[in-house]
Amino acid sequence: MNIEKEKMKISSMYAEERPREKAVSMGIESLSDAELLSLILGSGNKDENVIMLAQRVLNAHTVHKGLIGLKYLSFHDLLRINGIGRVKACQLMAVSELSRRMAMSERRERVSLSSPSAIADYFMEYCRFLTREKVIVMFLSSSNELIKWQELSEGTVNRSLLSPREIFIEALRCDAVSIILIHNHPSGDPDPSEVDIISTKRIIEAGRYVGIEVLDHIVIGDRSYVSLHEKGMI
């Protein structure tokens, strides 16, 4: 695309090429990824129109190109893109977070406790793009039904912060009888570390004192998982 095209204002474009008008006349599904993103960004800058800016955003990540790249761009990464300020960076992060929540909402009604693989499948999308380890706890009733799940802690890049006190205070608060632990490995390798195993056994022991059973601890990697219960580690 030539320089004149890049600098052309959206308002100067042929009506059927403008993203908003195109969405109305032909349907939102007719828009390209860059055109969709341009509707969120709203405006370009003095050197390029908003569609060109959107295209640069979609190619900003060194490895992951296109919409998937938004999942890997932090707030500060976005600010390094010429033409993206704090407001636009927040808008882009909101789009990424909304897409994650929509994916989780679609799965929420289908969450199954039938097997570790079913539980891992439910949380796979939630954990997929996390850059730090996070601990999620599923709280179960006496009939083994899910009361709720909650993210309780966040660790460093390669080590989560697992607090038995925090876990069981919340378990008692919601009258849980048993729990299932889930945490992610940003490295993509789901094999539990020695620290993971020791921490889990410590939580199991603490659970015995308050009458709450730890059914499993599932470690999620890149499209893979390890269940400590299935592996006989707990």
Side-chain angles (χ1 to χ4, degrees):
M1 187 172 289
N2 60 43
I3 300 299
E4 292 303 317
K5 185 69 172 179
E6 291 181 15
K7 291 186 176 182
M8 181 185 294
K9 293 182 179 179
I10 296 297
S11 59
S12 300
M13 295 173 65
Y14 180 58
E16 292 185 3
E17 292 185 353
R18 300 173 197 161
R20 188 177 292 110
E21 285 79 355
K22 185 177 176 181
V24 172
S25 64
M26 300 177 63
I28 195 73
E29 67 278 1
S30 69
L31 272 60
S32 67
D33 292 347
E35 289 171 332
L36 283 170
L37 203 56
S38 74
L39 293 179
I40 302 299
L41 294 172
S43 62
N45 54 54
K46 63 183 180 64
D47 295 320
E48 59 190 351
N49 64 41
V50 66
I51 297 176
M52 295 304 301
L53 175 58
Q55 288 174 335
R56 283 202 301 107
V57 170
L58 292 174
N59 286 283
H61 196 275
T62 55
V63 177
H64 303 284
K65 304 298 182 182
L67 290 174
I68 197 71
L70 291 177
K71 296 279 189 178
Y72 293 94
L73 294 172
S74 69
F75 180 72
H76 294 292
D77 290 333
L78 291 167
L79 289 180
R80 294 189 189 102
I81 301 173
N82 183 36
I84 300 297
R86 297 175 65 86
V87 173
K88 282 184 169 63
C90 286
Q91 290 170 332
L92 291 169
M93 291 184 68
V95 169
S96 180
E97 178 62 15
L98 278 172
S99 69
R100 184 189 68 80
R101 294 189 188 187
M102 288 171 70
M104 289 298 295
S105 294
E106 289 178 352
R107 291 168 173 259
R108 192 176 300 277
E109 297 301 320
R110 305 196 303 269
V111 60
S112 171
L113 304 179
S114 61
S115 67
S117 63
I119 295 171
D121 180 64
Y122 176 75
F123 285 101
M124 201 72 71
E125 183 67 20
Y126 180 85
C127 294
R128 185 178 174 191
F129 301 103
L130 297 177
T131 57
R132 293 178 179 272
E133 290 197 10
K134 291 193 177 186
V135 177
I136 299 166
V137 184
M138 301 179 75
F139 299 97
L140 311 180
S141 68
S142 57
S143 56
N144 211 37
E145 294 180 346
L146 178 65
I147 299 171
K148 68 173 185 176
W149 64 265
Q150 186 172 336
E151 182 184 305
L152 286 185
S153 69
E154 177 176 337
T156 60
V157 172
N158 57 9
R159 185 169 181 178
S160 59
L161 303 176
L162 209 55
S163 167
R165 180 177 182 275
E166 192 175 3
I167 290 170
F168 291 113
I169 285 177
E170 191 59 38
L172 292 169
R173 184 178 290 137
C174 66
D175 294 324
V177 172
S178 57
I179 63 172
I180 296 173
L181 303 170
I182 301 104
H183 91 273
N184 65 301
H185 278 178
S187 67
D189 181 0
D191 288 336
S193 66
E194 184 177 352
V195 172
D196 290 337
I197 297 170
I198 292 173
S199 297
T200 304
K201 290 180 177 179
R202 183 162 55 95
I203 292 169
I204 291 172
E205 188 64 28
R208 291 196 181 105
Y209 284 102
V210 294
I212 296 176
E213 185 180 4
V214 180
L215 300 179
D216 202 351
H217 184 172
I218 299 171
V219 185
I220 294 179
D222 183 12
R223 303 180 188 275
S224 57
Y225 79 94
V226 168
S227 159
L228 270 66
H229 177 72
E230 281 185 334
K231 295 293 186 180
M233 297 177 177
I234 57 173

